[in-house]
Amino acid sequence: MDFSAILSQFPDLYTLAGQFFVGMSRAMILFVVAAGLTVVMGVLRIVNFTHGTFYMLGAFIAFSVAQWLGGSSGFWLALLIAPLIVAALSFVVESTLMRRIYDQPRLMQLLLTYALVLAFNDLIKIVWGVHYKSMANPIPGSISLGGATLPSYNLILLAAGPLVALGLWFFMSRTMMGKLCRATATDREMVDALGINSKQVFASVFVLGCYLAGLGGTLIAPTTNIVIGMGMGIIINAILVVVVGGLGNVWGALVVSFIFGIGESFGVLFAPRFALVFPFLIAATLLMIRPSGLMKSVW
Amino acid sequence: MSTLFARFTEAKKILLLLLILAALLVMFFIPTFLSKYSVYLLTVILFTALLATSLNISLGYGGMLPLHQAVFFGVGAYAAALLLNKSPLPPWLSFLAAPLVAAGVALVIGTVCVRLRGLYFGMMTLAMGQLVWAIVYRWYEFTGGDDGIHGIAVPQVLRSIPAAYYTALIVFSVCLLIIYIILNSPFGIALQAVRDNHQRCESIGINIRHHQLIAFVLAGFFSGVAGVLFVILERSVSPSLLFWTKSAELLIMVLLGGMFTFLGPTFGAAVIIVLGVFLGVITEYWLLVLGTVLVLLILFLPQGVLGFVKEKISSSAPERKGVDKYAQG
C-alpha cells in the first residue's frame, strides 16, 4: 500500500481541531435540545415530536424580539426572553392537550404530538410568513483556538452545553422540585399518595423541557437560516440522542450528543457528502449493542 | 373461499362478495366518466391505501411499532426507477424485482428491530430508516441525491393515466386479497395472538420473533409494490418519499381509519388524500386544519372511524380485547 498517498489525503491538525470545535458547537445545541427532551421523556414518558417545534418557535421568536429591539443588544435580550415565551406557550399546550393523553397508548401520544407539529408549522407560516429569516451575529469576528480559527459566537455555544448540564444536574439532585420530578418519574402513584400534586410536577417538567428547546432554538438562530421545518430535522436526532443515551438520563444525552457531534464533524472530513448519515449509523450501532441505552434509563 | 370468510354467516358472505364486485365494477368504469385529474387522484389513493394496509400488517396485526414504513415504499420506488433506467432487465422483471429489494431491506432492518420491544423497536426503525434516507439523499452518483430521478423509462403502454389507474386497481385488489388471506391464515392468527399476549404465545411454542420478522418483511414487500405503482404513475422519485414525515402521514391514515380493521387504512388513506386536495384548494393552511382534526380525533375517537363504526355494529367486538392489551404494552 502507498501510505504517503493516504497520508497526503489526511487533513492537517489545524483542520482537525477546527472541525472538532465546529462539531462540538453543533453537539452542544443538540444537547440543549435533547436535554429538555430527555427530562420530558423521562418523567412524562411521552415521545414528544412537538419538542422540535418549540425549538423552531424559539428561533422565530428570538428573531422577532431581536428585530423589535434592534441593535446588537437585541440578541442578548432575545436570549433571555424568547425561551421564556416558548415556555409560556408550552404551558398552554400542556394544560389544554398534553395532560389528556398521558394514559393513552404510546402511538396515540406520538400522533397527537405530530398533529401539533403540523398545526404549529402552519401557525408559524401565518405569523412569520413563508420566507426564511436570518439574524445578525451578536459577536462577529473569529478567534483562534488551539491553532484553529473559529467564529467567536461558537464560544457561546460551547459554553451553553456544560452550563445547561450543570444547571440540570443541580436542579435534579439538589432542589426539592428536582427530587419531586425524579420521584414522579419512578413512581407516580406513590407521589400522589403522599399528597403531592403530580399533575403540577408533570406540567413543570414539560415547561422546563420546552424552555430548553426554546433556548436551543434561540442559540442557533444567529448561525443559520430560520426556516419552517427546521424542527423536523433536529427532532429525530434529539429523540435518538435521548433513546441511545438512556431515557431520562441527562448525562447520557450529553455523552451521545458528543458522539454525534464528533462523528459528524470527522465524518465530514472522510466522506464529506455522507456526514448526514453518521448520526443515524452511530445511533443504530449503539442501539444494537445496548438496546436500552448507554446509561441507565429511568423507564 | 369458504375458509376465507369463515367469520361471516352465509348471508353476510354473499352480501359482502356482491358489494366487493359492485365496487370493482364501478372502479372499472370510472375512467370513462370521471375527469383525468380524478382518475389520477384515485390512482394516488389506490397505492397509498396499499401502503397504509401494508403498514397495518406490522402495526395493527403484528403489534409492532414501525415508525418508518415509508422507507420500504421509497426503496421499492427507487429500486424500480434504477432497474428501469440502468439495468438491462425487461421492465416487467424490474417491476417484480423492486418489491423484492424492498423486502430485502425490510429483512435487514427487521432482523435488527425484532430483538427490541415497544418504543425501542420504534426508535430502531426510525434510526435505520433515516439512515437509508440519508444515504439516498446524498448518494448523487447512484440515486441522484436530493434531485431524485426524473424521466424514468416506464414502458410506453403504461404511460397514460388510465393505464396507470388500471394497473394500480388490479395490483391493489390482488395485493389486498393476498394480505387478507395471509392475515386469516394460521400464520396470521398466530401473529395476532403474539400481539395480544407475548408470554402465552411463547409458552405454547410460537416463535415470536420469527412471526414478527415475517410480518415485517411482508409489510416491506407490499410497501415496495406500492412504490412501484408510484413510479408507474409519476415516472419520477425523490428522497422525500423516504423522509420520516411521510411515515408519520401513513400512521395518521391508519389511525384515522382504525388500525384493527382490515379496510380501515384504505379508508384513512382515501380520506386524508381527498381532504388534502379539497382543503388545499380552499386554504393554504390545510395542515393546520388536519392537525386540529387529528387532535380532536385522538382525544375523542381513539379507535378510528371504522373502528368506531365496527364497535357500534357488533357489541361483542372480539378484537377489542387484544387492542386494550396492546395499548398498555
Side-chain angles (χ1 to χ4, degrees):
Chain A
M1 269 180 94
D2 187 4
F3 280 104
S4 60
I6 296 170
L7 276 179
S8 70
Q9 280 189 350
F10 199 80
D12 63 278
L13 217 57
Y14 296 133
T15 323
L16 278 181
Q19 279 300 324
F20 174 78
F21 285 119
V22 168
M24 278 304 107
S25 320
R26 281 211 213 151
M28 287 304 106
I29 293 276
L30 182 60
F31 166 70
V32 172
V33 177
L37 188 62
T38 205
V39 174
V40 170
M41 279 172 77
V43 179
L44 276 61
R45 318 224 156 183
I46 59 164
V47 182
N48 184 17
F49 282 121
T50 325
H51 203 76
T53 302
F54 286 119
Y55 162 83
M56 173 166 61
L57 267 172
F60 273 100
I61 293 173
F63 165 79
S64 286
V65 171
Q67 201 186 37
W68 177 58
L69 288 165
S72 58
S73 63
F75 172 77
W76 303 107
L77 251 126
L79 190 60
L80 220 63
I81 298 171
L84 286 177
I85 297 176
V86 172
L89 268 170
S90 75
F91 177 74
V92 176
V93 170
E94 202 278 341
S95 52
T96 54
L97 296 169
M98 286 295 174
R99 67 172 49 178
R100 290 169 200 270
I101 56 152
Y102 292 145
D103 300 325
Q104 289 258 6
R106 187 142 298 136
L107 190 65
M108 296 297 166
Q109 301 175 338
L110 277 175
L111 284 172
L112 183 98
T113 61
Y114 185 68
L116 287 176
V117 169
L118 296 180
F120 267 109
N121 267 356
D122 268 6
L123 283 175
I124 289 178
K125 225 186 269 177
I126 291 171
V127 177
W128 279 280
V130 286
H131 296 293
Y132 73 85
K133 306 270 180 272
S134 50
M135 251 169 105
N137 191 333
I139 329 175
S142 58
I143 51 140
S144 170
L145 206 66
T149 44
L150 191 72
S152 311
Y153 180 74
N154 282 35
L155 285 184
I156 306 278
L157 302 181
L158 288 172
L163 279 178
V164 166
L166 278 175
L168 268 183
W169 168 79
F170 181 80
F171 173 75
M172 280 298 185
S173 57
R174 291 288 182 274
T175 65
M176 191 59 200
M177 194 61 211
K179 284 174 187 168
L180 276 181
C181 288
R182 284 189 297 145
T184 317
T186 321
D187 193 340
R188 189 182 175 184
E189 275 174 40
M190 193 50 149
V191 170
D192 272 331
L194 290 171
I196 289 149
N197 190 345
S198 68
K199 268 187 185 169
Q200 271 176 17
V201 179
F202 271 37
S204 337
V205 166
F206 190 82
V207 170
L208 172 69
C210 293
Y211 172 85
L212 288 174
L215 183 65
T218 310
L219 283 170
I220 200 140
T223 69
T224 181
N225 288 336
I226 305 164
V227 289
I228 290 167
M230 65 190 280
M232 298 281 203
I234 199 165
I235 186 61
I236 298 297
N237 280 2
I239 287 180
L240 289 177
V241 163
V242 169
V243 174
V244 174
L247 289 148
N249 194 318
V250 175
W251 300 114
L254 185 62
V255 170
V256 178
S257 297
F258 265 124
I259 298 177
F260 274 29
I262 291 176
E264 207 170 336
S265 55
F266 289 111
V268 167
L269 293 178
F270 298 113
R273 279 186 290 120
F274 287 101
L276 192 64
V277 177
F278 287 100
F280 305 123
L281 193 63
I282 293 167
T285 314
L286 290 178
L287 268 179
M288 255 186 268
I289 301 167
R290 285 184 68 96
S292 55
L294 286 185
M295 297 200 182
K296 198 166 161 288
S297 155
V298 297
W299 277 34
Chain B
M1 290 303 249
S2 58
T3 51
L4 198 57
F5 298 108
R7 287 196 291 133
F8 303 106
T9 62
E10 217 42 56
K12 265 191 183 171
K13 243 186 265 180
I14 292 166
L15 190 70
L16 200 73
L17 273 175
L18 280 179
L19 262 176
I20 293 172
L21 281 177
L24 282 178
L25 206 67
V26 172
M27 295 288 276
F28 185 79
F29 286 110
I30 268 178
T32 57
F33 57 85
L34 276 185
S35 72
K36 214 170 183 182
Y37 181 65
S38 311
V39 176
Y40 168 84
L41 212 59
L42 270 173
T43 317
V44 175
I45 291 176
L46 283 172
F47 71 69
T48 313
L50 175 59
L51 182 54
T53 307
S54 73
L55 166 62
N56 204 31
I57 299 175
S58 47
L59 180 75
Y61 289 87
M64 293 170 263
L65 199 60
L67 293 183
H68 213 332
Q69 189 69 21
V71 160
F72 309 121
F73 172 68
V75 167
Y78 266 93
L82 290 169
L83 285 170
L84 283 171
N85 275 10
K86 294 190 179 176
S87 82
L89 286 183
W92 62 273
L93 212 60
S94 306
F95 290 145
L96 282 180
L100 290 176
V101 175
V105 174
L107 181 66
V108 174
I109 294 182
T111 309
V112 178
C113 291
V114 291
R115 294 161 60 234
L116 311 172
R117 292 264 167 272
L119 182 69
Y120 291 100
F121 180 100
M123 288 303 136
M124 196 57 158
T125 56
L126 207 53
M128 301 285 273
Q130 284 296 93
L131 180 63
V132 176
W133 166 78
I135 292 172
V136 170
Y137 191 78
R138 284 296 163 86
W139 197 358
Y140 289 94
E141 298 86 353
F142 190 58
T143 63
D146 54 359
D147 299 329
I149 303 169
H150 301 280
I152 297 165
V154 172
Q156 210 64 43
V157 248
L158 294 173
R159 283 196 183 191
S160 71
I161 288 177
Y165 170 75
Y166 281 120
T167 315
L169 181 61
I170 294 166
V171 172
F172 170 79
S173 311
V174 171
C175 284
L176 247 71
L177 184 66
I178 296 174
I179 294 173
Y180 188 84
I181 293 173
I182 291 173
L183 289 177
N184 287 283
S185 70
F187 164 78
I189 306 292
L191 183 68
Q192 291 168 60
V194 168
R195 169 195 73 195
D196 293 345
N197 196 327
H198 268 114
Q199 281 98 346
R200 196 179 290 176
C201 284
E202 215 153 24
S203 69
I204 58 170
I206 294 175
N207 189 334
I208 291 177
R209 285 180 183 174
H210 202 69
H211 276 72
Q212 290 195 324
L213 182 59
I214 292 173
F216 195 80
V217 172
L218 280 172
F221 177 84
F222 287 111
S223 297
V225 174
V228 173
L229 293 178
F230 175 87
V231 166
I232 291 175
L233 180 68
E234 303 281 359
R235 295 201 296 278
S236 69
V237 288
S238 74
S240 64
L241 298 179
L242 298 87
F243 197 57
W244 70 271
T245 49
K246 183 90 187 161
S247 297
E249 273 172 43
L250 288 177
L251 287 169
I252 290 170
M253 290 168 186
V254 176
L255 169 91
L256 181 79
M259 64 172 166
F260 303 105
T261 52
F262 182 71
L263 286 178
T266 300
F267 177 75
V271 169
I272 295 282
I273 289 171
V274 171
L275 206 69
V277 169
F278 281 89
L279 286 176
V281 173
I282 300 165
T283 164
E284 191 187 334
Y285 307 110
W286 83 274
L287 284 175
L288 178 60
V289 180
L290 177 68
T292 316
V293 169
L294 272 177
V295 168
L296 294 175
L297 195 74
I298 292 163
L299 292 183
F300 299 109
L301 207 63
Q303 70 274 50
V305 175
L306 276 201
F308 177 74
V309 172
K310 200 174 163 190
E311 207 171 76
K312 288 287 162 201
I313 291 171
S314 63
S315 51
S316 56
E319 280 174 74
R320 283 292 299 172
K321 280 180 197 157
V323 178
D324 298 335
K325 185 84 191 173
Y326 165 61
Q328 283 150 22

